[in-house]
Amino acid sequence: MDLNYTAEDTAFREEVRDFLRDQLPAEIAGHVGDGESLTKAEYDLWHGRLNEKGWLAGAWPKAFGGQEWSAVQKHIFEEECALAHAPRIVPFGVAMLAPVLQAFGSKEQQDYYLPRILSGEDWWCQGYSEPGAGSDLASLKTRAVRDGDHYIVNGQKTWTTLGQFANMIFCLVRTDPDAKAQQGISFLLIDMDTPGIEVRPIILIDGVHEVNEVWFTDVKVPVENLVGEENKGWTYAKYLLTHERTGIAGVGFANAGLQALKRMAHSELQNGRPLIEDPLFAARLARIEIDLMAMATTNLRVVAAADGGKAPGAESSMLKVKGSILRQQINDLARRAIGPWAQPFVAEGLDDTNLYHPGPEYAARTTNTYLNNRKISIYGGSNEVQRGIITKAILGL
Amino acid sequence: MDFKHTEERTMLADSLRRTLTRGADWAALADLGVLGALFTEEEGGFGGNGFDIAVVFEELGRAGATAPVIEAGLAGGLLADCGQSERVEAVISGALKPALAYAEPGLRYDTGPITTSMDGGTISGRKSFVTNAEGCDLLLVTALEDAKPCLFAVDPADPGVTLHTTPALMGGSISEITFDRAKAEKLGSAETLDARIAAATLAVCAEALGAMETAKAMTLDYLRTRTQFGRPIGSFQALQHRMADVAIEIEMARSAVINLAGHLHDHGPTRDRHVSAAKNLVGRTAHLVAEEAIQMHGGIAMTEEYALAPIARRLIAVDHRFGDEDWHLARFMRLSA
């Protein structure tokens, strides 16, 4: 047992901090810190700077241009980025599709798509969920019918995050309607410019255009865009879900959120004294901080086990459940911290863009962030689905 | 960063687990090195690190052992701080069972200000919540000498010592002790009491962790075997999700114990901030696990006959020893400010 980082890990952390200090534009960090949506150009700029350093895909194998970061290094990188308010790396290409292509894609697919993910030429989005297939993803209905050298795709995907920026979408489609739910699914790569694709925005509860519906009407997809084998898509989808999970606990985001919350509680006054001195508020805060200390170590335990060659597997479901609840508790307490300033509700997707929140700067998006992060116990397999996984895979019930 | 125990600690834990399932008396625990693991080499032992303590007490808690090992570490540690090397050697060999009397009526979980005092080589006053004093060989007592808390050794058989003993919720015994001009031998100052209580708090937390694992294992077993409505009750999602949450919270408690063990030797305020973080979380988790284990078992867990009863009581007792959830939350807040 040793709770200390190795000298190499500490040096790496320093390098990440230096990089963030030199390369992360203050304006972008400000937007992230305030919980504002980023433009595509802002994401592209940040991805580009990371790519120049070789850190956009730090976790990739060296053979594909990555750094083969250890799980601990990945954790350090994510933690420092969150604390510095760096934009999260949009995961769909780099962290979700790429590992699938590296494991199951053809040489041609790897050679063509992987460099385009790094360069930013392709912006990927994820076509998994459907209106009737949420937690029960395997019940998806979007059909792909083979017609010569093409598949003809019809159906509807939803919750497509940042689909409005994407030129490519990876989709789970049903290729064998007669097989059992999981067995007739294939993994297709689809160009968003193909005729018959329509992207419609979904405005979320906080007024943000973050997700979309994607409609497919007789969309022609070349057969070479099939990943791996036909009807084996579920295997690849599961691989994708279990592959990239060191960040699932969101400890970095939780730490950053807690720091921001403390700053707020020093500024806000209650009975003429800083809110942080209010015993009821301070007790709520302390309890969250105590939980976060244990959460950080739980996360590192899972991360360290993954470095030992063991896949995190079902343990990551524990991280997802507890990590999401903790982050939501922090957002909830931040909403309480701003007190009556939670009432003015300025939502970019709903209002005149000239409106501004009349309260302190830190209050402007606090309620919106609270509302937006209700999603984290729902997406990526709801917490109830995660508890089901824990029940079966860990508890053996 | 490394979350694996050393080979020595893993071996000690394994052999302790095996021995405890057969039922181990005090001499057997001493032979196994359980007592030596609580002391540093300098003190005559071969451990004394936070992780030594964590490993030993997790196994004791898992087995539901009620031997006064915490007292041996706590009182024995104070003996070591006072340079009582012969007595420490006797503690490690199992020949001397000490107990520590520090709490007083009205202080709840605080260690002071005490009123028990020494005068002319004798001690007078009242001590509360003294665990496993019944049958101990030596009482260590905090008392004022010239208004300064010091540590004294008292023979429990001294005519000036009166014990009012009851069984303890956690197992073992707990006593209210009256000292009426009991003959006392001064050992030294009581300034290391907080550090030793920090280590004992880690021991309680680790013991709780072991007990939680046992409660979890028993509950899982019951969920698999008990049938109602024609199927195992573990097939019901309402119980599955409760059990998943229990499992998650136990992992959090395990991390809290690791955090505390890793910071046990930090300087005072940092150490105590970690003590309070861990004890607050473990206290919360321990009674959650006890309550959920009872609820998921149903009626059978309400019976004394069923083996969960002493484990559940022990888990509830955790929050009442060395400061409860609120006491530690308040201290954590003070130390974080």
Side-chain angles (χ1 to χ4, degrees):
Chain A
M1 281 281 181
D2 185 359
L3 300 187
N4 300 304
Y5 286 98
T6 63
E8 292 78 38
D9 288 337
T10 307
F12 176 68
R13 188 184 289 278
E14 282 307 314
E15 197 187 349
V16 175
R17 279 187 190 164
D18 290 345
F19 173 81
L20 289 164
R21 198 180 310 113
D22 296 342
Q23 296 294 320
L24 176 61
E27 198 189 338
I28 293 182
H31 290 168
V32 173
D34 292 340
E36 288 169 34
S37 308
L38 299 183
T39 62
K40 181 168 188 294
E42 286 174 316
Y43 277 118
D44 283 339
L45 184 149
W46 181 236
H47 288 162
R49 290 201 178 169
L50 286 171
N51 190 38
E52 272 168 40
K53 177 79 179 167
W55 285 358
L56 181 60
W60 286 13
K62 291 205 169 108
F64 294 111
Q67 310 279 340
E68 280 177 31
W69 279 346
S70 68
V72 172
Q73 281 178 310
K74 255 194 303 190
H75 166 79
I76 290 171
F77 178 75
E78 284 164 6
E79 189 169 68
E80 289 302 325
C81 284
L83 284 173
H85 298 303
R88 64 167 191 155
I89 295 176
V90 177
F92 307 108
V94 172
M96 299 174 102
L97 176 64
V100 171
L101 289 181
Q102 287 162 9
F104 306 106
S106 66
K107 177 86 171 49
E108 291 72 30
Q109 287 169 342
Q110 292 171 352
D111 289 347
Y112 181 73
Y113 289 114
L114 294 177
R116 293 169 64 90
I117 288 174
L118 291 179
S119 69
E121 257 169 295
D122 285 341
W123 182 302
W124 286 89
C125 62
Q126 183 185 36
Y128 270 32
S129 294
E130 296 181 7
S135 288
D136 181 14
L137 183 60
S139 70
L140 61 91
K141 290 197 171 62
T142 296
R143 283 277 282 132
V145 179
R146 182 75 184 261
D147 178 20
D149 293 340
H150 288 84
Y151 288 100
I152 307 298
V153 178
N154 279 285
Q156 183 194 351
K157 293 292 175 182
T158 193
W159 310 130
T160 312
T161 302
L162 300 185
Q164 70 268 37
F165 298 158
N167 64 316
M168 295 296 294
I169 182 168
F170 57 91
C171 281
L172 292 180
V173 293
R174 187 159 298 287
T175 36
D176 182 355
D178 301 322
K180 269 176 58 189
Q182 283 90 345
Q183 284 159 15
I185 291 171
S186 297
F187 196 106
L188 271 190
L189 311 176
I190 304 179
D191 187 329
M192 300 279 280
D193 289 332
T194 318
I197 295 182
E198 191 192 344
V199 180
R200 298 181 195 166
I202 300 173
I203 304 302
L204 293 181
I205 191 169
D206 62 332
V208 161
H209 175 200
E210 187 175 56
V211 297
N212 303 271
E213 295 175 311
V214 183
W215 297 71
F216 299 84
T217 312
D218 294 331
V219 175
K220 279 179 77 174
V221 181
V223 286
E224 59 261 31
N225 284 20
L226 175 75
V227 174
E229 292 177 46
E230 198 175 87
N231 296 329
K232 291 279 171 64
W234 190 252
T235 312
Y236 315 143
K238 272 202 311 193
Y239 177 83
L240 182 158
L241 287 173
T242 52
H243 191 268
E244 270 291 330
R245 287 202 154 174
T246 55
I248 199 164
V251 170
F253 294 117
N255 275 328
L258 189 73
Q259 284 192 6
L261 173 56
K262 284 181 174 176
R263 283 194 296 273
M264 274 182 209
H266 275 106
S267 300
E268 282 292 310
L269 298 180
Q270 174 129 305
N271 299 323
R273 301 290 312 157
L275 179 64
I276 198 140
E277 294 174 16
D278 177 85
L280 281 178
F281 182 88
R284 288 180 196 276
L285 185 71
R287 209 182 242 242
I288 287 176
E289 187 165 4
I290 287 170
D291 284 352
L292 187 52
M293 288 162 74
M295 183 73 223
T297 296
T298 308
N299 187 48
L300 285 170
R301 283 168 51 209
V302 176
V303 163
D307 257 355
K310 282 194 288 177
E315 279 73 24
S316 59
S317 293
M318 292 191 161
L319 299 180
K320 165 79 171 30
V321 172
K322 197 66 191 179
S324 60
I325 291 172
L326 252 177
R327 284 175 63 193
Q328 290 176 336
Q329 285 175 340
I330 291 168
N331 294 144
D332 180 52
L333 198 52
R335 181 179 55 74
R336 289 166 190 275
I338 60 169
W341 286 121
Q343 297 176 100
F345 180 59
V346 182
E348 60 189 63
L350 302 179
D351 306 308
D352 180 338
T353 48
N354 290 324
L355 289 179
Y356 65 94
H357 190 285
E361 220 170 304
Y362 55 73
R365 296 201 50 82
T366 296
T367 313
N368 306 52
T369 301
Y370 157 79
L371 288 168
N372 186 274
N373 273 348
R374 297 314 303 172
K375 74 189 174 192
I376 59 184
S377 51
I378 301 171
Y379 68 30
S382 72
N383 283 12
E384 288 65 36
V385 167
Q386 305 297 339
R387 288 187 181 94
I389 293 170
I390 293 165
T391 301
K392 286 178 183 61
I394 298 179
L395 303 179
L397 285 178
Chain B
M1 193 146 4
D2 181 6
F3 292 97
K4 288 188 293 291
H5 283 303
T6 59
E7 204 175 323
E8 289 80 5
R9 288 191 190 120
T10 307
M11 279 169 59
L12 176 61
D14 289 347
S15 55
L16 181 53
R17 194 184 296 199
R18 281 196 304 273
T19 308
L20 286 167
T21 50
R22 293 194 298 266
D25 64 7
W26 192 249
L29 290 178
D31 285 349
L32 211 55
V34 166
L35 302 172
L38 310 181
F39 298 87
T40 64
E41 276 180 37
E42 229 172 26
E43 294 163 350
F46 57 83
N49 179 277
F51 293 110
D52 296 311
I53 296 170
V55 162
V56 164
F57 283 94
E58 182 178 342
E59 292 311 323
L60 291 167
R62 192 189 312 273
T66 54
V69 187
I70 288 188
E71 290 73 13
L74 181 54
L78 289 165
L79 286 170
D81 295 338
C82 295
Q84 299 277 315
S85 51
E86 274 177 35
R87 279 175 167 147
V88 173
E89 201 181 309
V91 170
I92 291 173
S93 73
L96 180 77
K97 257 190 229 173
L100 172 69
Y102 70 94
E104 295 190 1
L107 291 182
R108 282 176 72 86
Y109 298 116
D110 296 334
T111 53
I114 57 172
T115 57
T116 300
S117 59
M118 197 283 294
D119 185 30
T122 69
I123 277 180
S124 295
R126 183 169 156 200
K127 292 289 176 183
S128 285
F129 320 122
V130 187
T131 52
N132 295 315
E134 194 67 47
C136 79
D137 304 308
L138 185 73
L139 272 175
L140 265 65
V141 186
T142 56
L144 298 173
E145 183 189 57
D146 302 325
K148 191 172 159 277
C150 291
L151 206 59
F152 298 88
V154 175
D155 180 354
D158 187 280
V161 177
T162 311
L163 273 67
H164 177 80
T165 302
T166 60
L169 187 64
M170 82 197 77
S173 74
I174 190 158
S175 304
E176 297 293 298
I177 306 182
T178 309
F179 297 91
D180 181 12
R181 283 162 291 167
K183 194 160 164 288
E185 169 198 348
K186 183 172 175 189
L187 300 174
S189 92
E191 64 193 10
T192 61
L193 182 62
D194 285 348
R196 292 298 175 179
I197 286 181
T201 309
L202 167 60
V204 169
C205 289
E207 212 178 55
L209 182 62
M212 288 188 241
E213 291 286 4
T214 298
K216 181 178 99 178
M218 290 180 74
T219 308
L220 279 172
D221 202 36
Y222 196 75
L223 290 173
R224 284 188 202 105
T225 49
R226 167 75 171 170
T227 58
Q228 285 287 278
F229 306 101
R231 46 200 269 218
I233 59 172
S235 66
F236 294 111
Q237 198 178 49
L239 297 185
Q240 291 179 343
H241 285 195
R242 290 178 87 142
M243 201 58 213
D245 281 333
V246 164
I248 292 171
E249 296 305 330
I250 293 176
E251 287 312 314
M252 292 283 282
R254 180 171 294 282
S255 295
V257 169
I258 290 170
N259 283 347
L260 172 51
H263 291 279
L264 186 65
H265 306 289
D266 289 2
H267 84 109
T270 312
R271 175 198 68 209
D272 285 342
R273 186 168 174 274
H274 280 279
V275 171
S276 285
K279 188 62 171 46
N280 168 272
L281 191 143
V282 171
R284 274 190 267 152
T285 314
H287 73 74
L288 171 86
V289 172
E291 289 166 4
E292 289 293 274
I294 293 171
Q295 179 67 26
M296 284 189 264
H297 273 85
I300 189 72
M302 295 301 297
T303 66
E304 176 59 21
E305 192 190 349
Y306 190 68
L308 184 66
I311 294 157
R313 286 197 293 260
R314 192 186 188 104
L315 286 172
I316 300 302
V318 165
D319 202 34
H320 297 271
R321 206 167 180 196
F322 302 124
D324 65 9
E325 182 188 324
D326 290 342
W327 190 89
H328 281 288
L329 188 68
R331 189 171 76 160
F332 179 86
M333 285 157 63
R334 282 199 304 281
L335 294 170
S336 300

